[in-house]
């Protein structure tokens, strides 16, 4: 199937990054969210992030302008029905994703491929509640989307080969690399990454190290670009906790139990960068550890 237009549901951290890379690759993009402020903020962020790429010599000013012109926004979710490919990138809550698919389904073209950027929810289960489980799959980007090279493609039990190949062709056109993952809790990247982050929080909880020493150890001792606590703040502590819960529930192994300190930060509403406080406080000039 020839994919020309991409509908993106959700203009948050992941949704705006997905719209960004799709538009740069030449796709017509229709970006949807619940309120105009979020959509305006997303367009501003996309322009700012493209400027960084222009400054770095990765994108020309002309290509940036052409890409921005390819992004349209809408408050009406059902407008996305005319797109060839839909990527749902809403909040990581199954009931919200479910509602989005229920609303979209009557408006889709028969051949539209429906995908979710979920980082951990069962693709097979999401697909089974649609009218097109064979044309449904996981399309999982990494944050920051314009920089990270990988996209995980996750087949549900019913996903057909044509759908997989069509999505793989989109990833190729983005200039990114697709990793094929089976549909088990948290797929590949988060199955490995989140227990590491959770272990870093246990290391803090048990007083083995401070926020600073834990992050510094992993940066200088394991060559990670960000320390695990800094990375958790970057991803969002609510997202980290949600993924740990999916691993814990889905694999029924106590090794995935979320650290109580992670739960406490989420209960406090200290969700990381997006709320300006997490393992670091981002309200000043430079981030300050909160423990
Ligand atoms: N858009 C466009 N360009 C961006 C960007 C963005 N959002 N963010 C960074 N860049 C560019 C910068 O402009 C810079 O470009 P130049 O090399 O041309 O100057 C380059 O990327 C590097 O950025 P910085 O110099 O600002 O900072 P850095 O070298 O510290 O890199 C980082 C920043 C790429 C985020 C790096 O710290 C990193 O790789 N961190 C780890 C990220 C990671 O692990 N992501 C995966 C999270 S897990 C996930 O996403 C899955 C999930 O479901 C939770």
């Amino acid at each position: 199937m020839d994919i020309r237009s991409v509908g993106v549901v959700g203009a948050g951290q992941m949704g705006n990054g997905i719209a960004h890379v799709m538009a740069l690759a030449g796709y017509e993009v229709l970006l949807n969210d619940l309120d105009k402020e979020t959509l305006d903020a997303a367009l501003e962020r996309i322009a700012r992030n493209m400027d960084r790429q222009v400054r770095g010599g990765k994108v020309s000013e002309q290509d940036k302008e052409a890409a921005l012109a390819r992004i349209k926004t809408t408050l009406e979710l059902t407008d996305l029905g005319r797109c060839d490919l839909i990527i749902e990138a809403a909040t990581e809550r199954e009931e919200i994703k479910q509602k989005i698919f229920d609303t979209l389904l009557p408006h889709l073209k028969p051949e539209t491929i429906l995908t979710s950027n979920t980082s951990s929810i069962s693709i097979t289960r999401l697909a089974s509640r649609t009218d097109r489980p064979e044309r449904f799959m996981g399309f999982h980007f990494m944050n920051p989307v314009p920089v990270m090279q990988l996209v995980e493609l996750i087949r549900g039990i019913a996903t057909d080969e044509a759908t997989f190949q069509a999505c793989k062709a989109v990833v190729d056109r983005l200039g990114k690399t697709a990793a094929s993952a089976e549909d088990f809790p948290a797929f590949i990247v988060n199955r490995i990454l989140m227990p590491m982050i959770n272990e870093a929080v246990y290391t803090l909880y048990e007083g083995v190290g401070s926020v600073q020493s834990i992050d510094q150890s992993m940066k200088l001792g394991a060559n990670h670009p960000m320390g695990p606590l800094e990375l958790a703040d970057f991803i969002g502590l609510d997202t980290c906790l949600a993924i740990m819960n999916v691993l814990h529930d889905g694999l029924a192994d106590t090794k995935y139990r979320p650290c109580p300190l992670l739960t406490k930060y989420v209960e406090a509403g200290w969700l990381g960068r997006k709320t300006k406080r997490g393992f670091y406080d981002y309200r000043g000039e430079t981030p300050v550890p909160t423990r």
Side-chain angles (χ1 to χ4, degrees):
M1 176 180 176
D2 189 20
I3 291 170
R4 290 161 188 265
S5 55
V6 180
V8 181
V9 185
Q13 190 164 256
M14 298 308 286
N16 80 62
I18 295 169
H20 172 137
V21 297
M22 289 290 174
L24 269 181
Y27 294 102
E28 294 298 328
V29 176
L30 189 53
L31 180 62
N32 159 260
D33 210 308
L34 294 174
D35 55 78
K36 190 169 176 315
E37 293 68 39
T38 308
L39 288 172
D40 289 346
L43 289 179
E44 229 170 85
R45 172 159 291 241
I46 292 169
R48 255 201 335 262
N49 283 335
M50 284 188 188
D51 279 337
R52 295 169 80 163
Q53 293 175 302
V54 171
R55 280 199 300 277
K58 295 185 181 98
V59 170
S60 73
E61 184 66 35
Q62 207 179 4
D63 287 348
K64 178 195 107 177
E65 292 302 333
L68 288 175
R70 278 192 285 271
I71 305 176
K72 308 279 184 299
T73 60
T74 178
L75 293 170
E76 292 302 323
L77 178 59
T78 53
D79 287 349
L80 271 57
R82 60 175 186 267
C83 297
D84 301 325
L85 167 69
I86 292 179
I87 303 180
E88 171 278 315
T91 307
E92 190 68 351
R93 289 200 2 229
E94 192 161 342
E95 66 276 18
I96 291 177
K97 294 184 186 296
Q98 188 60 55
K99 211 166 147 214
I100 288 168
F101 294 135
D102 289 347
T103 308
L104 270 173
L105 286 176
H107 301 272
L108 299 184
K109 298 187 287 185
E111 67 275 21
T112 297
I113 294 177
L114 197 52
T115 69
S116 174
N117 181 57
T118 178
S119 45
S120 57
I121 298 170
S122 165
I123 297 301
T124 302
R125 194 166 61 236
L126 289 173
S128 73
R129 302 184 191 129
T130 72
D131 61 350
R132 61 193 67 214
E134 67 289 348
R135 279 191 305 288
F136 189 104
M137 63 182 295
F139 208 126
H140 183 218
F141 288 84
M142 308 296 136
N143 187 22
V145 178
V147 180
M148 303 300 283
Q149 187 58 33
L150 189 82
V151 179
E152 278 180 305
L153 291 180
I154 306 107
R155 291 179 174 92
I157 232 168
T159 308
D160 66 21
E161 187 58 21
T163 299
F164 179 84
Q165 290 304 337
C167 290
K168 167 83 171 51
V170 172
V171 177
D172 290 345
R173 185 161 155 194
L174 296 177
K176 294 193 185 287
T177 303
S180 171
E182 291 300 318
D183 183 26
F184 290 101
F187 320 129
I188 297 173
V189 171
N190 284 326
R191 169 81 177 260
I192 298 168
L193 182 64
M194 286 304 157
M196 184 201 72
I197 287 177
N198 194 48
E199 200 58 31
V201 185
Y202 268 111
T203 311
L204 178 67
Y205 177 63
E206 291 168 9
V208 181
S210 64
V211 168
Q212 218 153 17
S213 63
I214 292 166
D215 276 350
Q216 196 176 50
S217 297
M218 294 308 286
K219 278 201 280 197
L220 303 183
N223 260 7
H224 290 193
M226 283 178 169
L229 301 172
E230 188 188 357
L231 181 57
D233 277 356
F234 181 68
I235 293 167
L237 303 191
D238 51 341
T239 303
C240 294
L241 180 61
I243 297 170
M244 283 313 296
N245 280 325
V246 167
L247 283 168
H248 196 224
D249 296 346
L251 297 167
D253 190 325
T254 55
K255 75 180 176 180
Y256 298 113
R257 71 213 180 284
C259 179
L261 185 60
L262 179 60
T263 308
K264 202 194 280 286
Y265 269 84
V266 173
E267 283 171 352
W270 291 16
L271 307 181
R273 274 178 189 267
K274 61 185 167 189
T275 58
K276 302 236 183 288
R277 258 189 295 188
F279 293 111
Y280 293 85
D281 186 331
Y282 300 91
R283 291 173 299 173
E285 278 277 293
T286 44
V288 180
T290 53
R291 286 181 93 77

